[in-house]
Amino acid sequence: MSEIITSAVAALNDRLSDGFAGIAKFVIEGEGAIMIDGNGARAGDDDADVTLTASAETFQGILSGDTNPTAAFMTGKLAVDGNMGMAMQLGALLS
């Protein structure tokens, strides 16, 4: 597992202390994937209600608060496949 995935899982678990109502997957290009559900975040690549895909740089910007998830989506830096409402809920939790 990459260092980026490991640190992202820890950062997401700090933010999502109550878990997430649904199943989301973050795919970090060239690094791997992170699953987010009612139990929090973990490394994995399972089926999800919504899949968000971004570069490592964009993902780290979203986690640090330097990149707004909605702006990243609108500029094509963040791709969303699946339940858009769930993606918006997750974006609100991360911003």
Side-chain angles (χ1 to χ4, degrees):
M1 182 170 19
S2 81
E3 185 175 318
I4 290 174
I5 297 291
T6 302
S7 62
V9 166
L12 286 166
N13 279 323
D14 286 345
R15 288 184 173 204
L16 304 171
S17 58
D18 294 331
F20 180 68
I23 302 171
K25 176 171 39 176
F26 271 112
V27 176
I28 304 171
E29 297 167 343
E31 299 294 333
I34 299 168
M35 301 302 300
I36 300 170
D37 58 23
N39 296 319
R42 61 179 168 75
D45 192 9
D46 301 322
D47 290 336
D49 299 319
V50 62
T51 300
L52 299 96
T53 304
S55 68
E57 180 181 349
T58 298
F59 186 74
Q60 288 175 321
I62 291 170
L63 283 182
S64 70
D66 293 336
T67 302
N68 179 291
T70 303
F73 173 73
M74 297 300 279
T75 58
K77 293 180 179 179
L78 176 67
V80 176
D81 183 33
N83 186 319
M84 186 60 78
M86 195 170 290
M88 292 173 65
Q89 289 175 358
L90 188 56
L93 289 171
L94 296 177
S95 53

